[in-house]
Amino acid sequence: MVSTMERETATTESEIETSDSLSPSVLSGAISAAASALVERVRPSVVLVRSGGRGAGAGVIWRSDGGIITNAHVVAHTRGEVQVILQDGRELTGKVVNSNPTLDLALLEVDAKDLPAALVADSSTLRVGELVFAVGHPWGQRDYVTSGIVSGLGNIGVPHTGRTAQYIRSDVHLAPGNSGGPLLNARGEVVGINAMVFGGDMGVAIPSHVATAWVAGPPSRRVYLGVGVRPVELPGVESDFSWRGRAAGLLITDIEQDGPAHKAGVLVGDVLLAAGGQHVPDGDTLLHVLGSKSARERVSLHLMRGEGFQEIEVELGALEPEGESSA
């Protein structure tokens, strides 16, 4: 059976294909119809999150079995439980099962099945200039939608932590109540979790590929390299591991004496570009890569040293039971 929305979308596409010329009115109508359809698709996946008496934010149904993503700051002052209101009016008690203030992400779980999970895209392919939409509850008003374009991609400093997190900057209008809601691409897929307003007029969102890796669970810490790192961008450097058109990687700031990296010949000042063939522009990606490996497994590291590039093979070490803060 073909839904009304599918017929409207098909009609819109037919108009575009059969029109001898795309007049402004036809193009405007097609864009409006497509935008309306995608918003209607995602609305059931957007929830209202109430955290005590501190106002409300938004959340995205990430898994149909009750997993919901929101911002860490939305649930920062709870005692582990929040009120989650679904689009159909149901009110559920949500438990905060994981939170990462650096990424500004929190994972909630509610006792419900067959929830309408959002479609999530790989935000690592997102480009500056793409059309995006934000859905949230500004000032407590349910399911408001704003639109704009992607204005920038990169890393942003996290206050009071000395660390950075990846972000998407856009000119969608955000207000209190949008936090934790989805940033959508033109296909209605989630490409980010809206987090805050930056510089007074730019919206900042946590990329969906970062959220996806985080929700999958903290990377296994059974293995480690024995290094301390921080993200760096390398303007003007040509590399097979460029990111967003720029070479980027992890500056080695510290090396554990007699650790795996030290034994393999890695030096402080090297820039790690890839591990196991996967680009590592930030520490969370590196931990995700390590989490897929086993202790004593040999992994190739692509490094920039001075003005040259090197490939070094390292045997990963087994982590002691008490976790460390480095990779």
Side-chain angles (χ1 to χ4, degrees):
M1 175 179 257
V2 180
S3 68
T4 300
M5 183 180 68
E6 289 172 334
R7 287 198 297 270
E8 290 176 352
T9 302
T11 300
T12 299
E13 292 174 347
S14 176
E15 287 176 356
I16 294 175
E17 290 173 356
T18 60
S19 177
D20 292 333
S21 63
L22 287 178
S23 68
S25 60
V26 170
L27 184 57
S28 176
I31 293 175
S32 295
S36 178
L38 74 85
V39 169
E40 287 305 313
R41 282 200 299 271
V42 79
R43 271 181 171 160
S45 303
V46 182
V47 304
L48 179 70
V49 178
R50 284 192 178 138
S51 174
R54 302 185 63 90
V60 181
I61 299 175
W62 211 257
R63 301 193 312 258
S64 61
D65 63 357
I68 295 170
I69 285 287
T70 186
N71 287 148
H73 76 258
V74 169
V75 297
H77 300 282
T78 69
R79 295 185 177 181
E81 291 189 350
V82 295
Q83 185 181 26
V84 175
I85 303 175
L86 305 183
Q87 210 232 2
D88 62 13
R90 282 183 290 168
E91 297 187 13
L92 305 172
T93 298
K95 294 183 178 180
V96 181
V97 295
N98 201 357
S99 179
N100 187 316
T102 298
L103 293 177
D104 198 9
L105 292 174
L107 177 63
L108 315 178
E109 285 190 357
V110 296
D111 186 12
K113 303 295 182 184
D114 300 321
L115 296 178
L119 295 175
V120 181
D122 180 5
S123 56
S124 65
T125 63
L126 199 63
R127 298 175 298 174
V128 171
E130 284 195 44
L131 182 66
V132 286
F133 301 83
V135 183
H137 319 298
W139 310 109
Q141 302 174 93
R142 293 295 301 269
D143 300 325
Y144 267 57
V145 181
T146 55
S147 65
I149 62 170
V150 175
S151 306
L153 302 154
N155 296 309
I156 190 170
V158 180
H160 314 302
T161 67
R163 300 180 62 185
T164 62
Q166 288 182 301
Y167 72 91
I168 301 167
R169 188 179 294 183
S170 70
D171 63 357
V172 295
H173 182 71
L174 301 179
N178 278 109
S179 294
L183 185 71
L184 309 171
N185 62 19
R187 293 179 296 278
E189 301 163 329
V190 178
V191 292
I193 302 297
N194 293 314
M196 63 179 174
V197 178
F198 184 79
D201 57 356
M202 288 291 181
V204 172
I206 308 305
S208 61
H209 75 276
V210 174
T212 297
W214 181 74
V215 171
S220 170
R221 299 304 305 275
R222 292 176 299 166
V223 301
Y224 79 117
L225 281 176
V227 297
V229 298
R230 67 177 177 85
V232 293
E233 291 186 2
L234 308 167
V237 175
E238 294 185 4
S239 167
D240 291 338
F241 299 100
S242 293
W243 184 64
R244 308 299 184 200
R246 303 180 300 276
L250 296 170
L251 176 66
I252 307 296
T253 58
D254 184 57
I255 297 182
E256 177 185 316
Q257 183 71 24
D258 295 324
H262 181 263
K263 291 178 180 178
V266 178
L267 303 176
V268 170
D270 286 347
V271 176
L272 177 61
L273 299 173
Q278 183 172 337
H279 186 207
V280 287
D282 58 76
D284 290 315
T285 303
L286 175 58
L287 291 177
H288 186 68
V289 172
L290 294 180
S292 67
K293 307 298 180 183
S294 304
R296 292 177 293 281
E297 183 175 346
R298 301 189 72 82
V299 174
S300 62
L301 305 179
H302 285 80
L303 302 167
M304 188 177 76
R305 180 175 295 171
E307 297 182 355
F309 298 91
Q310 295 193 21
E311 183 175 355
I312 293 178
E313 192 172 77
V314 58
E315 181 180 297
L316 298 175
L319 194 67
E320 296 298 324
E322 294 298 324
E324 291 91 352
S325 59
S326 57

